[in-house]
Amino acid sequence: MPAKNIYLDELESESIYVLREAAAQFERLALLFSGGKDSIVLSYLARKAFAPANIPFPLLHIDTGHNFPETLTYRNEWVKKIDARLIIRTVQDSIDKGRVEEEKGYNASRNLLQTVTLLDTIEELKLDACLGGARRDEEKSRAKERFFSHRDEFGQWNPKNQRPELWDLFNGKKNVGEHFRVFPLSNWTELDIWQYIKQEQIPIPSLYFSHEREVIERNGQLLAKSDYLNLQESEKGKMMQVRFRTIGDMTCTGAILSDAATIDEVVAEVAASRMTERGTRADDKRSDTAMEDRKKTGYF
């Protein structure tokens, strides 16, 4: 195993402290799991935090129905490997029940529709808090989050109504119907995540490494060609050597041209990058405040 990194050890200790604090303050918890690198690391830390016992709360996946097949395969294998309990709720069920309406047009995506499915699930399971893998370097609105992020009875986030967090003190008090999103990875960066994955030898989906895939170019982004994309006549698939920095709904998750096929090569590539990983997400480009607007309605 590679030599330990003291800085990564400090980040690990902080995250484990937040995980344990959340478990102590909230009766009903769930860890939001997408199959992406951040939620993988968060679930790995959760296993460490409560070992030798199993993780005391379930992993919750809100499935858009438009996920990469590789992500779903990895999800099932990973949950089995860490002996965790998995709860799956689908956007398709929300559509069938009339809770949300499928978007139309060339830029249609189910990514935004996840919000309703998530909020319905929080109400169904009576969750006090949801653990998420968000980091403050992902996107500008993420930097406004606290470790314990308060949500009102409608699941809405108000950046002006967050609790002070002095030293290691977290205030999880809430009224009936309210809940929290807890972000133990708040002080991690994308590079930290990759270095930790390397240090701990954590297996991750193949999508994060360079591979040949048919993509289409739309508005300066490379999107994986799939049955879920509504293609314009001018959009033709092209085989390219790509990898993904972030994993989500296939309709809005952009790829980057890359030859990085190993952990070391990915670490070097991320260290040299001057664009945040969310820069590859089409859903974040719908407006200058797209992420913040979604978060205010209950998004992750």
Side-chain angles (χ1 to χ4, degrees):
M1 180 177 289
K4 285 280 188 176
N5 181 312
I6 295 176
Y7 174 66
L8 292 180
D9 283 350
E10 291 176 350
L11 288 176
E12 178 189 75
S13 295
E14 177 184 61
S15 297
I16 286 176
Y17 173 80
V18 175
L19 283 161
R20 290 172 175 167
E21 189 69 16
Q25 291 201 36
F26 301 113
E27 183 178 352
R28 295 184 182 89
L29 273 171
L31 189 155
L32 301 177
F33 188 82
S34 66
K37 64 185 183 306
D38 299 320
S39 62
I40 292 168
V41 167
L42 185 57
S43 61
Y44 178 87
L45 289 167
R47 186 174 66 163
K48 270 195 169 187
F50 303 103
N54 290 336
I55 299 174
F57 39 77
L59 274 55
L60 172 61
H61 183 208
I62 303 299
D63 187 352
T64 66
H66 293 172
N67 293 101
F68 289 90
E70 297 95 326
T71 303
L72 299 181
T73 298
Y74 177 92
R75 178 198 68 189
N76 296 335
E77 293 174 349
W78 179 248
V79 167
K80 184 177 180 180
K81 181 180 177 65
I82 64 173
D83 197 18
R85 182 162 62 98
L86 175 66
I87 296 175
I88 301 171
R89 293 294 182 269
T90 68
V91 171
Q92 186 60 54
D93 281 346
S94 297
I95 294 172
D96 294 342
K97 293 174 183 176
R99 294 284 294 143
V100 294
E101 185 176 344
E102 190 93 65
E103 291 185 355
K104 309 295 182 185
Y106 293 120
N107 292 315
S109 173
R110 288 185 173 183
N111 200 54
L112 181 59
L113 307 186
Q114 295 179 87
T115 299
V116 172
T117 309
L118 174 61
L119 293 178
D120 285 350
T121 304
I122 289 172
E123 184 175 355
E124 172 200 347
L125 302 178
K126 308 299 182 187
L127 296 176
D128 299 313
C130 292
L131 296 154
R135 308 183 325 270
R136 288 175 182 162
D137 72 322
E138 283 182 83
E139 201 273 345
K140 56 189 178 183
S141 69
R142 297 287 202 199
K144 299 179 183 180
E145 291 280 17
R146 301 287 197 270
F147 280 101
F148 279 31
S149 179
H150 176 265
R151 304 296 170 106
D152 66 19
E153 64 270 27
F154 301 106
Q156 297 174 328
W157 172 72
N158 182 350
K160 296 181 180 180
N161 188 31
Q162 300 302 309
R163 313 285 173 75
E165 292 182 343
L166 306 175
W167 301 285
D168 296 329
L169 302 177
F170 303 120
N171 184 352
K173 292 184 179 180
K174 65 181 187 64
N175 296 318
V176 175
E178 299 175 344
H179 71 277
F180 280 80
R181 307 290 170 83
V182 180
F183 301 112
L185 302 181
S186 287
N187 287 330
W188 297 58
T189 66
E190 182 186 10
L191 183 58
D192 295 331
I193 291 291
W194 278 107
Q195 290 178 326
Y196 188 75
I197 289 171
K198 176 185 175 182
Q199 173 180 283
E200 301 295 311
Q201 299 181 335
I202 303 172
I204 60 170
S206 59
L207 291 165
Y208 283 112
F209 299 106
S210 179
H211 60 284
E212 192 173 50
R213 181 180 290 268
E214 187 175 13
V215 298
I216 62 105
E217 185 171 356
R218 177 181 292 176
N219 299 325
Q221 291 188 305
L222 301 177
L223 298 174
K225 188 177 180 183
S226 71
D227 294 337
Y228 310 131
L229 277 180
N230 297 325
L231 298 179
Q232 303 181 49
E233 290 185 8
S234 61
E235 292 177 329
K236 305 298 181 184
K238 186 186 304 183
M239 298 301 294
M240 291 186 175
Q241 199 72 19
V242 300
R243 76 174 192 87
F244 294 86
R245 290 178 66 184
T246 178
I247 293 178
D249 192 288
M250 291 185 72
T251 59
C252 60
T253 303
I256 61 170
L257 296 174
S258 175
D259 293 320
T262 67
I263 289 284
D264 286 332
E265 290 171 346
V266 170
V267 168
E269 185 177 88
V270 170
S273 176
R274 293 297 175 266
M275 179 179 71
T276 174
E277 66 195 88
R278 296 293 305 193
T280 64
R281 294 293 292 263
D283 52 327
D284 286 352
K285 297 183 180 298
R286 293 191 174 191
S287 73
D288 289 340
T289 59
M291 170 66 86
E292 184 159 340
D293 293 341
R294 294 201 305 277
K295 282 167 59 62
K296 286 180 178 179
T297 63
Y299 188 76
F300 300 112

